[in-house]
Amino acid sequence: MMSRDTHRFAREMAGCAEDDILVIETAADGGPGWLAENAEALRSAALERGTVLVRGLGVSSHAEAAAASRALASELMAEVEGFAPRTALPGGVYTSSEWPPDQPMCMHHELTSAPRSPQWMIFSCLTAGSSGGALSVADAGKVLGSLPTGVVEPFEREGWQLVRTYDQLVGISSADAFGTADPDAVDEYCRTHGIDFQRTPGGGLRTRQTLPAVVEHPVTGRRCWFNQIAFLNEWTMDPTVREFLVGEFGVEGLPFTTLRGDGTPLDPATVDVINETYDKHAVQVPLRDGDLLLVDNFGTAHSRAPYTGEREIVVALGDPLPRPRA
């Protein structure tokens, strides 16, 4: 049963939207205790609205970010099969992905290829930065409803393929992605989770997975466009970077790319349509120093714009659930 204060909190949430983002103001001295007391209401609001921004906590350190994240989630999961390096921090949280600051992170959901995906993404903004770096979100159900039928149907019928090449000059290493430098353990992980793999002549690892592109939200049952088709595709890369990588390693040696479920390569126009649809539904989150953002990872995609200057976001992956059903 919710406390009287939590009931009041739930009533006050109505009408507190800022540019379609639900913003909750709280006192800085509330901290993890306030979050724990109101966690049920915050999670319910995030399921309904996709994301909730909590302002006023004044989160300013890694330890505070970890405590806040643990207050909102029953379990903080370790990242496996991540697409970019992160640094693990004490308390089960991570730095944000090490992605070039001058390159955008397209809309995506976290760990869509992994056997378990976090239900919650918890972002603690220690330093918002002075220029750029905006975090945006997009409703996965609305994105699915807006995509052309001709784009959705093949992916809904056949899924999508993710092809990754590890242990080259660029991209994440297999040791970082799978949490072990033991190649036998990595091979066993791939066999256990149905990932096709091969060892390349240079000692690297190449994997291929076929995954559902449209899934049922594991809590609400809502149909969602849940994948990384347009983010991890070769045509979303900076053209200069792609040209260099293809020249150096060939198309098969790209650190990642995506294909249709039957293995057919994607054309740039299809990738553009998906990203343009995301852009249509993108809502910018007005992050400030000390803010905390709770995101429903299954129902809401997120992205990051290029930035300059200092910016520090601590990330937690909360309450993992098995990969949703198609």
Side-chain angles (χ1 to χ4, degrees):
M1 180 178 297
M2 291 195 297
S3 69
R4 183 171 59 186
D5 287 344
T6 308
H7 277 299
R8 184 174 67 248
F9 163 82
R11 289 197 303 271
E12 289 172 351
M13 289 196 301
C16 294
E18 179 176 315
D19 295 330
D20 293 327
I21 299 296
L22 183 61
V23 182
I24 307 299
E25 301 275 357
T26 186
D29 58 359
W34 183 90
L35 287 171
E37 181 182 357
N38 293 289
E40 181 182 349
L42 286 165
R43 291 192 297 262
S44 294
L47 279 174
E48 180 181 349
R49 299 291 296 271
T51 185
V52 174
L53 177 61
V54 182
R55 176 159 291 157
L57 291 170
V59 181
S60 61
S61 69
H62 297 164
E64 289 176 353
S69 299
R70 289 195 300 271
L72 285 172
S74 301
E75 177 187 349
L76 299 185
M77 69 178 289
E79 184 179 56
V80 183
E81 296 187 49
F83 59 83
R86 296 186 194 269
T87 300
L89 302 171
V93 295
Y94 292 87
T95 61
S96 53
S97 298
E98 296 173 17
W99 196 260
D102 62 338
Q103 297 295 318
M105 271 185 155
C106 298
M107 283 287 181
H108 64 284
H109 302 262
E110 214 69 23
L111 302 186
T112 60
S113 64
R116 298 196 307 165
S117 303
Q119 181 177 356
W120 309 113
M121 295 298 296
I122 306 168
F123 299 93
S124 296
C125 179
L126 307 190
T127 306
S130 56
S131 176
L135 192 150
S136 296
V137 295
D139 184 300
K142 292 180 180 178
V143 169
L144 174 61
S146 294
L147 283 167
T149 301
V151 170
V152 172
E153 281 187 344
F155 288 116
E156 189 165 21
R157 183 175 60 251
E158 301 167 354
W160 63 292
Q161 284 192 16
L162 173 62
V163 180
R164 300 184 63 172
T165 303
Y166 301 90
D167 305 312
Q168 295 191 142
L169 296 176
V170 296
I172 193 171
S173 70
S174 59
D176 285 338
F178 296 100
T180 176
D182 180 354
D184 292 336
V186 173
D187 292 356
E188 181 59 28
Y189 177 96
C190 291
R191 281 190 288 266
T192 299
H193 297 293
I195 302 172
D196 293 333
F197 68 96
Q198 65 181 104
R199 293 289 169 176
T200 62
L205 172 71
R206 182 168 299 133
T207 64
R208 183 183 297 263
Q209 297 169 266
T210 302
L211 302 152
V214 179
V215 305
E216 288 185 2
H217 191 292
V219 178
T220 68
R222 188 179 182 217
R223 293 173 70 248
C224 297
W225 181 254
F226 181 77
N227 55 69
Q228 295 182 345
I229 293 168
F231 179 24
L232 299 184
N233 185 269
E234 61 180 296
W235 300 115
T236 305
M237 294 181 184
D238 179 279
T240 304
V241 173
R242 180 188 177 278
E243 183 178 352
F244 167 79
L245 292 175
V246 170
E248 195 76 16
F249 306 112
V251 174
E252 284 294 311
L254 290 170
F256 50 74
T257 196
T258 60
L259 307 95
R260 298 189 188 279
D262 63 359
T264 304
L266 292 176
D267 58 285
T270 297
V271 177
D272 287 345
V273 166
I274 296 172
N275 280 321
E276 287 165 3
T277 304
Y278 274 128
D279 289 344
K280 176 182 175 182
H281 292 282
V283 179
Q284 192 172 117
V285 180
L287 281 179
R288 301 176 187 171
D289 292 0
D291 283 354
L292 181 143
L293 185 70
L294 177 65
V295 177
D296 168 18
N297 183 50
F298 293 108
T300 307
H302 61 278
S303 68
R304 188 223 72 194
Y307 69 93
T308 58
E310 295 297 321
R311 180 180 183 274
E312 185 173 14
I313 308 290
V314 173
V315 181
L317 292 70
D319 294 341
L321 293 173
R323 184 184 297 148
R325 297 179 302 169

